[in-house]
């Protein structure tokens, strides 16, 4: 299995660094993630409209459902691949760095209405990883588990193998920052951001869909951009 795309498929899109990794949204001097507990931008919706509209809110909002955000410790970090696989994997950070690498530029959309264009991701595709683990034919879904309990989400195997899906450890030329999910996050550009589990630590192959964190709260399982419920 080889699912990497080459440069031609992606086209050479401009790498817009300005709204990139460093552009964390801040309200009144405090990082938004201190106050936000759901992807409805609670921190800013509490502000009067004129104040909110004056904020420089192009770019990333940082979300965490259960702060404080997990801390990446290279010596103890593990990425586990479990469930319906012949060879369960328990990868150290060094092992992860040895996986076949890929890069892409893709747009990012949160279901609440904000987007970031031309995000430059680097990391690895799921195909080679699943091949190494010996994914069993009975497996239909992958459950992605965050170090930030209880955040999980799921993809169908075919969705996870789309050519523009990756597990990213770099963003816009730097290692993934803690707010953006260090050391690993799932990226699936054709779906809304909640499908992309940050602080990823385990991938569990199953023969039925598990219920994702936001799906349990009413959001669509298939979060195709433009075609899923969005709830508002
Ligand atoms: N572990 C975890 N992953 C998560 C979330 C979260 O709260 N916790 N929020 C999701 C949502 S709704 C979005 S839009 C993106 C936001 O990514 P960012 O915080 O890097 O901007 O992360 C997704 N992955
Ligand atoms: Mo989101």
């Amino acid at each position: 299995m080889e699912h990497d795309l080459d440069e031609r498929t992606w086209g050479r899109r401009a790498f817009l660094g300005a709204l990139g990794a460093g552009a964390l949204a801040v309200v009144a001097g405090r990082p938004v993630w201190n106050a936000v507990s759901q992807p409805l931008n609670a921190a800013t919706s509490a502000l009067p409209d004129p104040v909110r509209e004056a904020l420089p809110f192009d770019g990333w909002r940082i979300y965490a459902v259960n702060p404080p955000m997990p801390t990446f410790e290279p010596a103890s970090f593990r990425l586990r691949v479990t469930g319906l696989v012949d060879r369960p994997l328990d990868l150290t950070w060094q092992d992860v760095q040895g996986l076949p690498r890929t890069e892409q530029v893709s747009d990012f959309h949160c279901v609440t209405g904000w987007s970031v264009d031309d995000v430059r991701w680097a990391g690895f595709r799921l195909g080679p990883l699943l091949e190494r683990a010996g994914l069993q034919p009975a497996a239909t879904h992958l459950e992605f588990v965050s170090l930030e309990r209880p955040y999980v989400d799921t993809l169908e195997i075919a969705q996870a193998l789309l050519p523009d899906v990756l597990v990213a450890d770099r963003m816009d030329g730097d290692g993934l920052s803690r707010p953006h999910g260090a050391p690993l996050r799932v990226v699936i550009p054709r779906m809304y951001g909640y499908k992309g589990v940050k602080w990823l630590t385990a991938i569990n192959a199953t023969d039925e869909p598990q219920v994702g964190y936001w799906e349990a709260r009413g959001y669509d399982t298939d979060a195709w951009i433009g075609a899923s419920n969005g709830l508002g």
Side-chain angles (χ1 to χ4, degrees):
M1 269 187 286
E2 177 53 67
H3 301 279
D4 283 2
L5 285 187
D6 66 19
E7 192 92 51
R8 274 163 315 178
T9 316
W10 283 103
R12 283 198 168 274
R13 305 176 66 181
F15 291 171
L16 298 183
L19 302 177
L24 303 179
V26 169
V27 176
R30 290 177 55 219
V32 168
W33 65 81
N34 286 348
V36 171
S37 61
Q38 50 175 337
L40 298 176
N41 217 1
T44 52
S45 57
L47 296 171
D49 277 353
V51 176
R52 187 167 65 236
E53 276 152 29
L55 289 171
F57 249 10
D58 282 331
W60 296 98
R61 282 73 158 170
I62 301 298
Y63 292 145
V65 296
N66 189 17
M69 294 179 288
T71 307
F72 170 43
E73 281 150 21
S76 58
F77 177 81
R78 291 292 185 280
L79 176 63
R80 298 195 166 86
V81 183
T82 60
L84 298 176
V85 292
D86 292 337
R87 298 175 291 278
L89 302 180
D90 189 2
L91 303 179
T92 65
W93 182 238
Q94 198 180 351
D95 296 334
V96 170
Q97 297 302 107
L99 295 169
R101 304 211 31 102
T102 188
E103 280 195 31
Q104 73 186 41
V105 175
S106 49
D107 295 346
F108 183 93
H109 303 280
C110 173
V111 71
T112 62
W114 57 270
S115 299
V116 181
D117 289 343
D118 298 313
V119 187
R120 183 183 179 187
W121 301 105
F124 56 90
R125 305 279 178 211
L126 287 160
L129 183 70
L130 296 175
E131 195 169 36
R132 181 161 158 186
L135 186 70
Q136 295 175 3
T140 58
H141 291 77
L142 300 178
E143 178 188 28
F144 298 92
V145 180
S146 178
L147 282 167
E148 184 201 31
R149 314 279 169 187
Y151 204 101
V152 294
D153 211 298
T154 60
L155 292 175
E156 294 173 11
I157 303 283
Q159 295 169 350
L161 295 180
L162 286 171
D164 55 354
V165 170
L166 79 160
V167 177
D169 61 6
R170 296 181 66 78
M171 187 181 131
D172 292 332
D174 285 315
L176 209 57
S177 66
R178 184 182 178 206
H180 284 304
L184 297 175
R185 73 185 286 164
V186 177
V187 175
I188 174 162
R190 298 178 217 191
M191 290 196 185
Y192 288 115
Y194 64 88
K195 301 299 288 185
V197 172
K198 303 195 292 183
W199 306 294
L200 177 70
T201 191
I203 300 170
N204 186 27
T206 63
D207 59 4
E208 54 184 17
Q210 308 299 303
V211 180
Y213 182 89
W214 285 112
E215 285 86 321
R217 289 155 180 80
Y219 285 84
D220 279 349
T221 303
D222 288 331
W224 302 113
I225 287 160
S228 64
N229 64 7
L231 282 189

